[in-house]
Amino acid sequence: MKTYKFIISGGGTGGHIFPAISIADGLKQRYPDCEILFVGAEHKMEMEKVPAAGYTIEGLPVAGFHRGEIWRNLSFPFKLLRSMMKARKIVTSFRPDCVIGVGGYASGPVLRVATNKGLPTVVQEQNSFAGVTNKILAKKVDKICVAYDKMERFFPAGKIVFTGNPIRSNLLEGQKNIEEARKFFQLEENKPVLLIVGGSLGARSINDSLLAQFDALKDSGIQVIWQTGKFYYKSISEKLEGKLPAHIHLMEFIPRMDLAYAVADLVISRAGAGTISELCLVGKPSILVPSPNVAEDHQTRNAMALVEKEAAVLVKDSEAKEKLVPETLKLITDKLQLEKLAANSTKMALPNATRDIVEVIAELLEKRES
């Protein structure tokens, strides 16, 4: 069998990086001898997360366009030009059989070079509202793997393949390890568990909302696993010094999300596409607080896909300080509603997304060789 080479490009956030790593793992299962090279943006989190997953990565100097602060864009054309030149050099020297873009700054230059060279190309769009980079690339790439209905609003219908979003492969395994999860987080057996995640960097408004009504959360007696994110852990720890009860577990980052999901009765989260896919896969009821700081308000659109099917509850970011804790304390004691949300979220799961995306790639390779 031929030894295939793949480039996977994109990143910037965990919502792009973790699907990219999942696709790489799927390609390794399908083609054990294949070579995989990641291309990301310099100084972004993929430069750390990808090597930690065992893959090689090259960085581009590319950066995003700042819509609000135009003066910050003075270097944008120069970084883009340098990124195009470096992307061309990488693609030419590595000679991939297929190039996969997962969104984010770096995927634009790499996919543009790949399409100009006539290489098989695939884009994976995680969100219900397509990103600018993927919309531009859609005209030239071969296939576009999506996770939501009605994506023909953004992409040519003939190129769309409905696959869902790839998720971390260990999450389902964790669901079998409830006892291990309780020990890991030092939890009692018969008390509800609230899991709070705002992404690896954290979510200021979620953290502020919990701090604003911390006494109500503390007095409720529910067990809490609270991932603050690395930007906020120190300041929150200082504010709660001497006030933190044993049943509230403050963490900068949760290293075992599989165990966190396993033990959670309810999850508070942003509404990034990857997180939503994970919540559906593990069948967890959730309160979603969409970030207002994303393009085209796509997190609200992601959240509404679940809310409309009674698979999640939405609290607006602007109302979180007032409503998030009361809604949480009301919901976490309503077993019937939790069961309903969990059942409906499970119905929306697409557990074979990685396999289906790899199959799309395999079909392109076969078509090229035939």
Side-chain angles (χ1 to χ4, degrees):
M1 181 184 287
K2 177 181 174 180
T3 300
Y4 289 109
K5 291 184 173 184
F6 302 100
I7 286 179
I8 302 177
S9 184
T13 66
H16 294 310
I17 297 162
F18 294 125
I21 292 171
S22 295
I23 292 169
D25 292 344
L27 287 168
K28 276 287 186 184
Q29 284 188 341
R30 179 75 176 254
Y31 307 107
D33 297 325
C34 71
E35 293 180 43
I36 297 174
L37 175 66
F38 279 76
V39 181
E42 291 176 357
H43 312 302
K44 292 294 184 179
M45 65 186 293
E46 58 262 31
M47 303 308 291
E48 174 190 340
K49 299 292 184 185
V50 168
Y55 295 101
T56 302
I57 186 166
E58 293 264 6
L60 302 181
V62 67
F65 188 86
H66 294 276
R67 292 177 176 85
E69 300 170 298
I70 301 300
W71 61 270
R72 294 178 66 184
N73 295 310
L74 292 174
S75 64
F76 177 80
F78 303 101
K79 288 182 177 180
L80 183 60
L81 180 61
R82 284 169 54 212
S83 296
M84 287 299 299
M85 292 171 65
K86 189 170 182 181
R88 188 174 296 111
K89 184 177 178 181
I90 290 169
V91 173
T92 301
S93 62
F94 189 72
R95 299 176 65 188
D97 294 285
C98 183
V99 178
I100 302 104
V102 295
Y105 304 143
S107 65
V110 176
L111 268 292
R112 178 59 62 90
V113 170
T115 54
N116 286 345
K117 286 180 173 290
L119 296 169
T121 48
V122 176
V123 158
Q124 200 261 322
E125 172 58 61
Q126 296 94 25
N127 291 294
S128 59
F129 196 95
V132 173
T133 301
N134 282 349
K135 282 194 280 189
I136 294 169
L137 293 170
K139 298 169 187 173
K140 289 194 172 184
V141 299
D142 294 300
K143 292 292 178 181
I144 304 159
C145 298
V146 303
Y148 291 91
D149 296 328
K150 302 174 184 175
M151 296 303 285
E152 59 275 5
R153 292 175 294 163
F154 312 109
F155 303 133
K159 296 183 178 183
I160 293 173
V161 184
F162 186 74
T163 59
N165 283 323
I167 55 90
R168 289 173 271 192
S169 57
N170 68 331
L171 292 184
L172 282 177
E173 288 301 311
Q175 302 306 294
K176 306 168 188 173
N177 301 322
I178 302 293
E179 283 304 315
E180 182 186 352
R182 288 198 189 102
K183 287 178 183 176
F184 186 87
F185 294 106
Q186 299 178 321
L187 301 170
E188 295 181 39
E189 187 172 342
N190 296 314
K191 289 184 180 178
V193 177
L194 171 67
L195 171 62
I196 303 159
V197 287
S200 57
L201 303 180
R204 182 192 294 275
S205 60
I206 291 179
N207 288 333
D208 287 349
S209 300
L210 298 168
L211 287 172
Q213 301 200 34
F214 183 74
D215 288 343
L217 193 65
K218 181 177 72 172
D219 295 344
S220 71
I222 64 171
Q223 301 181 102
V224 180
I225 304 169
W226 180 358
Q227 178 179 277
T228 63
K230 71 176 184 179
F231 288 165
Y232 307 106
Y233 180 76
K234 185 179 178 183
S235 64
I236 293 173
S237 297
E238 289 171 353
K239 285 177 184 176
L240 296 179
E241 191 173 359
K243 301 178 185 177
L244 204 61
H247 59 86
I248 296 183
H249 304 268
L250 204 65
M251 304 179 74
E252 177 180 332
F253 180 75
I254 297 172
R256 291 292 304 273
M257 278 304 298
D258 58 326
L259 298 182
Y261 281 137
V263 81
D265 295 291
L266 176 64
V267 181
I268 292 174
S269 176
R270 286 301 199 195
T275 300
I276 284 183
S277 295
E278 290 180 356
L279 290 169
C280 292
L281 187 76
V282 297
K284 291 295 173 178
S286 59
I287 296 178
L288 301 174
V289 187
S291 171
N293 307 312
V294 294
E296 310 289 353
D297 196 24
H298 70 250
Q299 285 205 6
T300 296
R301 297 165 192 262
N302 291 346
M304 288 307 298
L306 269 67
V307 172
E308 288 168 358
K309 296 189 178 180
E310 298 184 299
V313 173
L314 184 144
V315 171
K316 291 182 181 178
D317 189 85
S318 60
E319 300 175 347
K321 197 169 282 191
E322 175 190 343
K323 293 184 177 180
L324 183 57
V325 170
E327 282 281 344
T328 298
L329 298 182
K330 178 183 172 185
L331 180 56
I332 202 165
T333 56
D334 187 341
K335 288 191 175 182
L336 285 177
Q337 184 64 6
L338 289 176
E339 288 173 3
K340 179 181 177 181
L341 292 171
N344 288 337
S345 66
T346 301
K347 289 176 188 174
M348 297 182 69
L350 294 165
N352 298 317
T354 301
R355 185 195 69 189
D356 292 345
I357 291 168
V358 170
E359 187 59 35
V360 169
I361 295 166
E363 287 174 5
L364 286 177
L365 294 175
E366 290 169 11
K367 182 179 177 183
R368 191 185 192 203
E369 291 167 0
S370 61

